[in-house]
Amino acid sequence: MSERPDLHQHYLRACQNLGQPEHPFIARVLQEADKNDKIRCAKGITLKIAGNNHLVPVQRVTDGDLQVLASVLHNTVYVTGLDLRYNVLTDAGAKHVATFLQENSTLQYLNLMFNDIGTSGAELIARALHRNKTLAYLRMTGNKIGNKGGMFFASMLRINSTLEKLDLGDCDMGTQCLIAIATALTQNKSVKAINLNRPLLYSQEEETTVHVALMLKNNSSLVELHLCKHEMKNFGVEQLCEALYENSSLRYLDLSCNKITCDGVKFLVELLKRNQTLEILDLRANRIEDDGAIYLSETLALNNRTLQALSVVSNNISGKGLVALSDAMKTNMELSYIYIWGNKFDEATCMAFSELIQTGRLKPNCTDVEPYEVDGHVHLAELSHGLKKHYYWTPSCGEATNKDANASLAIAAVSEH
């Protein structure tokens, strides 16, 4: 058993040496870490220094604060995760991150989402990952690194063989960068999950989707793929589905917030008949309508026993389509999670889903609706459950990746650490 560490005292000395004022929240987190039994048992811990903590007054972490923290953690083997989301780190802070990643050999998880890191900061971090051999999970979500910054990560993916999960959602990446990343992933064998949500695309030709499809034909390691807000239409869905006939690794496909209609669902239905690996399908905020929901329900009832989670939130589906999906769940026992809020509920829908929940076929934590009764009529209320419940935030206490409330990561087992 190792001796009790003293990160807090080390931090106070580093503040004096570097002429940086003590950051009260960092000091508190390090004091709590010093008391953590996992450290004394030589197990890794994650330091959670998120700038959006609402339970305690939080002063956001600056570049100078990060410089001190990096010097403290330089040789700290038991800190395996660092959560710095929602702070005010800039490209200068990215320089400290890059130096730390080049020298540290224990950090496995780094969350930098929604800071102010730009193109030059992205370059520094990506170049550091050419040499780093331990980081498995990096979140750059919401940092405006742009197309050029994304290109540095595309180059990194050709060299790095350790990174398993990379989140580049909401980073203002463009067509060139997405094509470069897709090309890199045709050779990369280590990345299990990638988030490419909300790029800035100005073409209607769906070139990026075509290149992602080509990648999926050749990639045999990717488990989780997010393509939210790609302006994807039925042609793009057709390209992806044809590629996935030959893919036996992808388990989670996120096509939310695109322009997919019932005609696009026909391609997904053919895929679900033949594909034996896809477990999660997110079609939230498309426009599949009743016809699309009926196509899906027929396939789920008769042909597919692999899909475990389906989201059709906000798809302009009325009672006819929703009742068909509920009927499919009566014969398909593998489909355990279904999210339907934001569609047009009628009394038949409310009765159907109320029955699924009351009979125990659909667990309350596995859907985003809850039945209640008024004057003898059943209605459905919204629950805050969904495939990406904890994507932008995590609870201040308790487990962030509760399997029932956050099906995405739990089913597609790509762990945070």
Side-chain angles (χ1 to χ4, degrees):
M1 186 179 290
S2 60
E3 293 181 19
R4 180 186 287 273
D6 207 341
L7 288 174
H8 182 238
Q9 287 302 316
H10 189 178
Y11 174 69
L12 295 180
R13 286 195 299 272
C15 285
Q16 289 180 337
N17 294 339
L18 292 167
Q20 184 73 20
E22 179 189 340
H23 188 290
F25 186 48
I26 292 178
R28 182 182 307 182
V29 169
L30 295 180
Q31 280 179 312
E32 290 172 1
D34 285 338
K35 301 171 187 173
N36 196 314
D37 287 335
K38 287 183 180 177
I39 288 180
R40 284 178 287 163
C41 298
K43 292 181 180 177
I45 63 164
T46 295
L47 296 181
K48 297 180 180 178
I49 313 175
N52 65 338
N53 190 314
H54 299 299
L55 293 184
V56 294
V58 170
Q59 174 187 329
R60 298 200 173 189
V61 175
T62 65
D63 299 331
D65 297 323
L66 182 58
Q67 182 183 12
V68 180
L69 183 63
S71 72
V72 172
L73 301 180
H74 177 60
N75 291 315
T76 309
V77 295
Y78 40 77
V79 175
T80 56
L82 191 54
D83 184 350
L84 291 164
R85 70 179 83 186
Y86 296 105
N87 283 297
V88 288
L89 304 175
T90 68
D91 290 340
K95 187 175 182 180
H96 301 310
V97 170
T99 304
F100 181 70
L101 288 173
Q102 286 179 316
E103 297 172 351
N104 180 277
S105 59
T106 55
L107 198 72
Q108 298 171 37
Y109 167 64
L110 177 60
N111 191 337
L112 296 170
M113 69 185 288
F114 290 102
N115 280 277
D116 296 318
I117 297 169
T119 301
S120 60
E123 179 180 8
L124 292 166
I125 292 170
R127 288 191 188 282
L129 290 173
H130 288 201
R131 290 174 53 188
N132 181 284
K133 302 295 182 190
T134 53
L135 195 72
Y137 183 7
L138 174 64
R139 294 198 70 179
M140 292 294 294
T141 327
N143 290 285
K144 305 308 178 188
I145 66 174
N147 191 68
K148 196 174 176 183
M151 290 296 288
F152 293 118
F153 279 99
S155 299
M156 177 273 294
L157 289 172
R158 293 176 178 275
I159 297 167
N160 181 290
S161 59
T162 314
L163 202 64
E164 293 183 9
K165 186 163 188 179
L166 177 61
D167 191 339
L168 296 172
D170 300 285
C171 284
D172 288 0
M173 297 190 301
T175 301
Q176 180 192 17
C177 156
L178 286 184
I179 291 173
I181 289 173
T183 305
L185 288 175
T186 58
Q187 303 296 326
N188 185 296
K189 304 298 181 199
S190 59
V191 172
K192 304 289 189 295
I194 192 157
N195 188 323
L196 301 171
N197 289 351
R198 213 225 69 194
L200 300 182
L201 304 176
Y202 299 103
S203 167
Q204 296 297 311
E205 300 298 321
E206 302 196 71
E207 305 101 314
T208 55
T209 308
V210 171
H211 279 84
V212 169
L214 287 171
M215 176 271 291
L216 288 171
K217 283 185 180 180
N218 297 298
N219 184 297
S220 59
S221 54
L222 199 66
V223 172
E224 183 172 332
L225 175 63
H226 296 267
L227 299 173
C228 174
K229 298 182 182 176
H230 272 239
E231 297 286 313
M232 192 185 303
K233 296 178 280 294
N234 298 332
F235 169 76
V237 175
E238 182 181 14
Q239 300 300 306
L240 287 177
C241 290
E242 286 181 3
L244 287 170
Y245 291 145
E246 302 174 37
N247 181 294
S248 58
S249 65
L250 196 74
R251 286 189 272 163
Y252 180 13
L253 179 60
D254 175 6
L255 300 177
S256 58
C257 304
N258 282 296
K259 297 181 176 179
I260 301 167
T261 69
C262 60
D263 289 333
V265 174
K266 290 178 183 176
F267 302 119
L268 287 166
V269 161
E270 287 304 311
L271 174 66
L272 290 173
K273 287 178 182 177
R274 294 160 63 175
N275 180 286
Q276 299 299 311
T277 51
L278 199 64
E279 295 178 4
I280 305 171
L281 179 60
D282 190 349
L283 292 173
R284 175 176 51 92
N286 282 281
R287 200 172 181 83
I288 71 169
E289 302 183 317
D290 283 339
D291 286 347
I294 290 168
Y295 295 151
L296 280 172
S297 62
E298 289 171 352
T299 300
L300 291 169
L302 300 172
N303 307 113
N304 182 281
R305 291 297 182 269
T306 310
L307 201 71
Q308 295 183 31
L310 172 67
S311 176
V312 290
V313 169
S314 299
N315 261 280
N316 202 38
I317 307 171
S318 67
K320 185 178 169 186
L322 293 167
V323 169
L325 286 170
S326 72
D327 288 342
M329 292 196 73
K330 293 176 183 176
T331 53
N332 183 332
M333 295 299 152
E334 289 301 313
L335 188 64
S336 305
Y337 302 81
I338 188 163
Y339 304 102
I340 62 168
W341 188 258
N343 292 296
K344 301 173 182 177
F345 298 163
D346 59 7
E347 193 157 0
T349 304
C350 298
M351 291 292 292
F353 278 87
S354 174
E355 182 187 340
L356 285 177
I357 293 166
Q358 287 173 357
T359 58
R361 170 62 190 92
L362 182 59
K363 293 179 182 176
N365 284 342
C366 298
T367 186
D368 57 351
V369 292
E370 181 179 45
Y372 67 97
E373 194 172 315
V374 176
D375 297 334
H377 294 279
V378 176
H379 303 272
L380 295 176
E382 183 184 14
L383 295 176
S384 63
H385 296 166
L387 288 177
K388 291 186 280 191
K389 177 175 179 177
H390 296 134
Y391 178 66
Y392 289 109
W393 64 279
T394 53
S396 300
C397 54
E399 282 297 314
T401 51
N402 176 284
K403 181 173 180 177
D404 291 335
N406 196 34
S408 61
L409 301 180
I411 293 179
V414 179
S415 63
E416 180 171 282
H417 307 306

